[in-house]
Amino acid sequence: MKIALLGYGKMGKTIEQVALQRGHEIVLKIDENSLYYDITIADVAIDFSIPAAAFKNISTCLNNHVPVISGTTGWLEKLPEATVLCKQKNSAFIYASNFSLGVNLFFELNTYLAKMMHRLDQYTISVEEIHHTKKLDTPSGTAITLAEGIIENSYKESWALGVTNKKTEIPIIAKRIDEVPGTHTVEYKSEVDTIDIKHTAHNRDGFALGAVIAAEWLVGKTGVFTMKDVLGLK
């Protein structure tokens, strides 16, 4: 499989290593200084760029009928446009706030716990995320996905960055610490006990492996999909 890497930072380099190990060929390595390239030489594209470049990268792929997956966060105001464009062009697209297989199972666990806890209003709910200091967006896309999973299955109506006094908001506490790949915790706390679930990434390899597996799965398909489709969780 011929893969185009849209974004060639630390994550792009890790994806390259995993893709090569799985027998694929990297035909393009695009960074913010790349002006002209032929995306059509690729069977599939993997976008881990920057928020300002993500929508352009994805649109280029969809307009040229190249399946694309994106793990870039911080550009989601354009996600509905990308979804419409994919359908118009009869192309294929997956966006995920996190491609780690373990995190996507964690999302399912989070949803299940929220459904069980939604009638127990004695518990306060919070989400904490910790990432490396070079992460560009706050809070993380993964933390937002966790909060949205709770909102869909509880009385909560929205999330807020930092401490909030509104009972209908979920506070997301974001911390930046050198060399932390990603740690996410969902906490339910009452006066008598605390229930929490936690996912800790030890390195970037899990994110990269999930991205490559998603790219392998997407080739030959048309439509807008999620990691639930890739993992058969629907």
Side-chain angles (χ1 to χ4, degrees), residues 106-128 146-156 170-171 185-198:
F106 186 61
F107 288 154
E108 293 300 298
L109 179 60
N110 174 62
T111 298
Y112 185 65
L113 180 59
K115 289 178 180 178
M116 289 193 295
M117 298 293 292
H118 81 281
R119 290 190 177 91
L120 304 178
D121 58 7
Q122 66 267 43
Y123 287 88
T124 59
I125 309 170
S126 64
V127 176
E128 180 186 83
L146 289 167
E148 289 175 343
I150 297 167
I151 291 165
E152 290 172 3
N153 295 281
S154 72
Y155 66 91
K156 297 293 186 179
I170 300 170
T185 305
V186 178
E187 180 183 86
Y188 291 81
K189 186 175 182 179
S190 74
E191 291 183 358
V192 297
D193 60 10
T194 298
I195 301 169
D196 58 45
I197 55 174
K198 180 178 182 180

Side-chain angles (χ1 to χ4, degrees), residues 43-227:
D43 297 316
V44 65
I46 300 177
D47 171 66
F48 273 84
S49 56
I50 59 175
F55 182 69
K56 181 180 178 182
N57 289 340
I58 294 162
S59 298
T60 298
C61 294
L62 297 177
N63 281 318
N64 287 279
H65 304 286
V66 175
V68 57
I69 73 164
S70 177
T72 305
T73 55
W75 67 280
L76 295 189
E77 72 281 354
K78 293 280 190 178
L79 181 58
E81 291 182 53
T83 299
V84 170
L85 181 61
C86 179
K87 293 176 181 178
Q88 288 175 341
K89 298 296 181 178
N90 202 31
S91 191
F93 174 51
I94 294 175
Y95 166 75
S97 60
N98 194 314
F99 278 95
S100 162
L101 305 183
V103 164
N104 280 277
L105 296 174
F106 186 61
F107 288 154
E108 293 300 298
L109 179 60
N110 174 62
T111 298
Y112 185 65
L113 180 59
K115 289 178 180 178
M116 289 193 295
M117 298 293 292
H118 81 281
R119 290 190 177 91
L120 304 178
D121 58 7
Q122 66 267 43
Y123 287 88
T124 59
I125 309 170
S126 64
V127 176
E128 180 186 83
E129 59 102 337
I130 307 172
H131 280 88
H132 52 87
T133 53
K134 293 182 180 180
K135 185 168 179 59
L136 297 178
D137 56 316
T138 303
S140 69
T142 302
I144 293 172
T145 300
L146 289 167
E148 289 175 343
I150 297 167
I151 291 165
E152 290 172 3
N153 295 281
S154 72
Y155 66 91
K156 297 293 186 179
E157 298 175 356
S158 60
W159 60 267
L161 180 60
V163 177
T164 176
N165 294 321
K166 293 183 179 180
K167 290 185 177 181
T168 57
E169 284 186 335
I170 300 170
I172 299 180
I173 310 303
K175 298 179 180 178
R176 296 293 174 261
I177 300 173
D178 287 340
E179 304 305 321
V180 176
T183 301
H184 294 85
T185 305
V186 178
E187 180 183 86
Y188 291 81
K189 186 175 182 179
S190 74
E191 291 183 358
V192 297
D193 60 10
T194 298
I195 301 169
D196 58 45
I197 55 174
K198 180 178 182 180
H199 179 274
T200 302
H202 301 307
N203 50 54
R204 291 182 175 85
D205 292 359
F207 309 127
L209 176 61
V212 174
I213 288 174
E216 293 168 348
W217 182 91
L218 189 61
V219 171
K221 295 180 175 64
T222 58
V224 179
F225 303 99
T226 69
M227 283 300 286

